[in-house]
Structure formats: C-alpha cells, structure tokens
Amino acid sequence: MIVQRVVLNSRPGKNGNPVAENFRVEEVNLPDNINEGQVQVRTLYLSVDPYMRCRMNEDTGSDYISPWQLSQVVDGGGIGIIEESKHTNFTKGDFVTSFCWPWQTKVILDGNILEKVDPQLVDGHLSYFLGAIGMPGLTSLIGIQEKGHITAESNQTMVVSGAAGACGSLAGQIGHLMGCSRVVGICGTPEKCLLLTSELGFDAAINYKEGSVAEQLRELCPSGVDVYFDNVGGDISDTVISQMNQNSHIILCGQISQYNKDVPYPPPLPSAVEAIRKERNITRERFLVLNFKDKFEPGILQLSQWFKEGKLKIKETMINGLENMGAAFQSMMTGGNIGKQIVCISEETSLLSL
C-alpha cells in the first residue's frame, strides 16, 4: 500500500527561523503484513508544538528529546484509529495516541508505544487529546499545581504570556479555577486580546505590539504580580518579572522567543532582572511535565470534567492535510494559531453523533 509521509528536508540552523520548506512530503510503501505485537493505524490528527523546534537541530540541547534526522520521517503527538491489530491490548476500531506518532497517513507501529483513549472524555472531539485534554492541558494544570502556589481567596494576580496559545489559553482559565482573583493575558493581536477577555474569562489582556507593556501591566495589575505563567521568555518576561511581588512564583512553561537562538534552556535572565528575582525571592525553577507522570491520570480526568461542565473553554486552530504540516509548524512558531495548532489528516465520521 502506498502512503504519504513527511520527512525533514533541511535544518533551519540553530539561530534560523523554521519554514515550511524544511519539511517535504513523499510517498512510501507500507508492508502488507504486520507482525505479532504490531498494529496498523490510520492517522486522524497530528500535533505541532513549540518544543519541536529544538528537534530540528542536530543537537536538541536536551537529554529527553531526540533530534529528527534528515530525510527520515518526522514524529510527534498523534491520534489515530486501529485498522488491524496483532497486539493483545488493541482491537480494530480502537482510538489510540502516542508522543512518537510518525507524520504519515497510515503507519505500522509497535503497540507498546500506544495508549488507548476514550472519546467520551472529550465528547467525541478526538483532537482535544492533543491539546486541552492532553499534554498542553497537563502542562498547564500540573505546572500551576506544582509551581504556582495558588491559595484560594488570597487575592492573587496571575499573568500569562503567550496567552492565546495552546498552554496559555488554558493556564489563565485554570488559574481562575484554582483561586486566582485576577488573571491578565499577554498576546500579539487585538483579536487574541478580545478572545481572552470575551470568551476565556481573562480579566484583562495586553497586546505587546501596542504601547508599553510595563505601563499597561502597572495599570492592570495594581497590586503587582504573584504568579507568572511564562510561555515566551525574552523582553516580555523581563518586564513582568520586574513587577512581581516578594515571594512570588514563575511557572516556566516555555521560552518560544528564544527557541530560534542557540542559548541554554531555560535561558539565563539579564543580570538586572536576575538581581530583582533574587532580591524578591521569586522562584523560577525548570518545569518538566514528564517528571509528574503519576499525576497524568487524575489530571486528565480533572480537565475533562471542567470541559464537560463548561468551565474550561477549548480553542484550536485546525489545518487540513498532511501536505500542510510544514506550513502549520511555521504558522504556530510565529503566532498564527489561537489555542492548539492541529493538523487533520483524516476524519473519523463514526464519532460525529457523540
């Protein structure tokens, strides 16, 4: 059987901006037979995420992420349906997910890398398992639980950068759900600002491309900042940290402004900002959600419950077609998405009645 796949065509260079042309689509032959322990799956949805930028380098700079190889199939988070199974845990028609899903229309996988998902948890929206009811949701929830130190009814103010993205759009809502009295988002367009305040429950939003972020923060956070959910790093974060209170907390989720630069992770703060951080005893610890696997199952159930109760609004930007994976990645890295960036490879019509 002939299937399509996406391979890494070229590397952007450690300090370069990724472009769609770094990827290419090619056809490949899928074997007719599968071996014991394997399954054949049809890909439904694929995820593109900021962390993938370091996988485009020869060295990811990380011990838990491996680099993509030139002319080899690219992989990441994916959801699919089993078409044939020789693995005891799976039968035809099961919906499954993996972090190591090849960017391919159909693929033969070792069943041990797959996890079954229950469509009822997402009311049939399977793509949500790659977003709010998946890794970005867990990153936001567990990050806030472990590093945010939020106490209900203690009048805390949270600021979220990259607030209209996959994690940021959830983090602000979760901040409120866990007890923050005020949540302010920072993003890059008037449309995103409006979405945050009109649909996602943020108390205010700042467009960092218009006016002084420092002045707007002072106005919108008159009591200072107690919790900062940091998705971006760089100048925006330096500005927020400068207005943080004594004994406040930074949740270090991502540093997308630094991902196209050859710097360590997390990037060191400028000396003046680091001096403020130390003087005010602001915590800024590296956070890796994979270190909290024991919290994944209860976390997914909590996120699902909030979603079903209407307390967690989910936004995603959907692009169709495997041939658009590179364009989707480029768009996500430059802020073209609202909520989670997803690519639909094929749809599953049996769930539309859920």
Side-chain angles (χ1 to χ4, degrees):
M1 185 194 321
I2 301 292
V3 299
Q4 286 188 310
R5 70 176 188 175
V6 174
V7 300
L8 187 64
N9 188 47
S10 57
R11 300 190 191 277
K14 280 197 168 182
N15 297 301
N17 294 317
V19 293
E21 291 72 27
N22 292 133
F23 303 94
R24 75 171 186 270
V25 179
E26 60 182 31
E27 291 190 334
V28 65
N29 199 34
L30 201 66
D32 293 329
N33 300 312
I34 63 172
N35 299 324
E36 285 301 319
Q38 291 185 325
V39 296
Q40 181 182 304
V41 292
R42 172 163 57 90
T43 305
L44 299 173
Y45 300 100
L46 293 172
S47 175
V48 289
D49 303 277
Y51 82 86
M52 292 174 168
R53 173 60 188 86
C54 54
R55 300 194 69 188
M56 299 181 81
N57 299 332
E58 284 182 60
D59 175 10
T60 64
S62 161
D63 49 9
Y64 65 94
I65 305 174
S66 59
W68 289 328
Q69 299 303 319
L70 287 170
S71 297
Q72 298 295 310
V73 68
V74 175
D75 70 315
I79 298 273
I81 184 168
I82 292 187
E83 295 190 322
E84 186 185 351
S85 173
K86 286 191 178 176
H87 191 285
T88 50
N89 293 358
F90 304 106
T91 57
K92 184 178 178 179
D94 284 345
F95 295 105
V96 289
T97 187
S98 172
F99 297 130
C100 314
W101 198 289
W103 289 9
Q104 197 163 303
T105 49
K106 293 190 179 193
V107 63
I108 293 170
L109 295 171
D110 177 345
N112 293 330
I113 72 161
L114 297 172
E115 202 175 318
K116 211 181 290 192
V117 293
D118 177 5
Q120 299 290 343
L121 287 175
V122 291
D123 288 349
H125 296 280
L126 287 172
S127 57
Y128 289 0
F129 285 121
L130 297 177
I133 320 294
M135 235 11 173
L138 288 170
T139 300
S140 303
L141 175 63
I142 297 170
I144 291 169
Q145 287 174 333
E146 295 295 321
K147 304 291 184 183
H149 304 277
I150 294 170
T151 312
E153 296 178 19
S154 59
N155 215 26
Q156 286 167 297
T157 295
M158 174 192 261
V159 170
V160 181
S161 57
C167 286
S169 62
L170 301 169
Q173 298 180 77
I174 293 169
H176 265 319
L177 287 165
M178 293 185 66
C180 280
S181 59
R182 186 163 181 78
V183 176
V184 176
I186 303 175
C187 53
T189 70
E191 294 78 17
K192 288 179 178 179
C193 286
L194 181 61
L195 173 93
L196 295 183
T197 54
S198 66
E199 292 188 46
L200 302 185
F202 284 68
D203 298 287
I206 294 169
N207 180 353
Y208 69 85
K209 294 176 183 172
E210 290 180 3
S212 161
V213 173
E215 283 177 23
Q216 293 175 80
L217 265 180
R218 271 191 291 274
E219 185 185 323
L220 296 171
C221 305
S223 305
V225 178
D226 302 295
V227 184
Y228 174 39
F229 195 95
D230 185 6
N231 282 303
V232 300
D235 294 344
I236 289 172
S237 290
D238 297 345
T239 303
V240 177
I241 293 166
S242 300
Q243 296 191 33
M244 291 185 75
N245 294 326
Q246 193 74 26
N247 302 321
S248 54
H249 304 282
I250 298 167
I251 301 160
L252 205 55
C253 178
Q255 304 280 281
I256 198 168
S257 73
Q258 309 298 302
Y259 285 173
N260 295 327
K261 300 174 186 174
D262 186 12
V263 293
Y265 186 85
L269 295 169
S271 54
V273 180
E274 178 61 16
I276 291 171
R277 189 197 68 74
K278 283 183 174 168
E279 185 186 320
R280 297 184 194 164
N281 191 34
I282 302 168
T283 61
R284 182 182 185 256
E285 301 161 346
R286 182 172 184 172
F287 168 67
L288 183 59
V289 72
L290 297 176
N291 290 339
F292 298 91
K293 286 186 175 169
D294 59 316
K295 294 184 163 55
F296 282 14
E297 194 173 334
I300 290 292
L301 292 175
Q302 176 66 81
L303 292 161
S304 171
Q305 183 184 338
W306 279 336
F307 160 60
K308 285 172 171 281
E309 291 171 350
K311 294 176 181 175
L312 191 67
K313 304 285 195 304
I314 299 176
K315 292 291 168 186
E316 59 183 13
T317 300
M318 186 79 74
I319 293 180
N320 290 314
L322 186 81
E323 70 279 6
N324 290 314
M325 290 299 297
F329 184 80
Q330 182 180 351
S331 174
M332 178 269 307
M333 287 297 293
T334 51
N337 57 302
I338 289 179
K340 183 77 186 76
Q341 178 76 67
I342 299 282
V343 181
C344 175
I345 308 304
S346 64
E347 292 196 86
E348 183 45 46
T349 51
S350 68
L351 289 175
L352 297 180
S353 60
L354 273 182

